[in-house]
């Protein structure tokens, strides 16, 4: 198994690896569209706390943060786009 140097990835690290902005990562996690992140909101708070599992992120994307703080793709089949890793959502007309 791969060696992971951190217990949690930042939203910005995940966004950079996926080639999207940080808000997109936050929305993906809030909407439970990805298996590698969770978010929590304390009672009475307006802010979310995000936890991104480096192991689950690696399994889904092939990306991991290395111990020297440089990121690299280590999977033979690295992600080509965010769309490749999201469930297919059908556009349905709401009546």
């Amino acid at each position: 198994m791969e060696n992971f140097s951190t217990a949690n990835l930042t939203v910005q690290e995940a966004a950079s690896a996926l080639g999207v902005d940080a808000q997109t990562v936050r929305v993906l996690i809030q909407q439970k569209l990805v298996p590698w992140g969770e978010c929590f909101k304390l009672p009475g708070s307006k802010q979310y706390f995000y936890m991104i599992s480096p192991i689950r992120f690696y399994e889904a994307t092939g990306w991991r943060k290395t111990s020297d703080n440089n990121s690299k793709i280590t999977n033979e089949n690295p992600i080509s786009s965010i769309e490749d890793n999201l469930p297919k959502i059908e556009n349905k007309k709401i009546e």
Side-chain angles (χ1 to χ4, degrees), residues 20-68:
V20 299
D21 63 22
Q23 186 60 24
T24 299
V25 170
R26 290 184 194 100
V27 170
L28 291 171
I29 293 170
Q30 288 173 14
Q31 298 295 317
K32 301 182 188 309
L33 294 173
V34 291
W36 38 259
E38 298 282 336
C39 66
F40 305 92
K41 187 175 173 183
L42 297 176
S45 176
K46 294 181 180 181
Q47 293 184 334
Y48 284 92
F49 172 72
Y50 295 89
M51 294 177 53
I52 300 174
S53 166
I55 294 172
R56 286 193 217 156
F57 193 83
Y58 171 76
E59 290 170 347
T61 67
W63 183 94
R64 71 177 173 95
K65 183 176 179 179
T66 61
S67 60
D68 62 0

Side-chain angles (χ1 to χ4, degrees), residues 9 13 16-17 63-66 68-74:
L9 295 177
E13 287 169 334
S16 178
W63 183 94
R64 71 177 173 95
K65 183 176 179 179
T66 61
D68 62 0
N69 291 329
N70 291 324
S71 302
K72 65 179 182 178
I73 297 291
T74 59

Side-chain angles (χ1 to χ4, degrees), residues 3-14:
N3 182 21
F4 294 90
S5 61
T6 62
N8 194 36
L9 295 177
T10 67
V11 169
Q12 187 57 46
E13 287 169 334

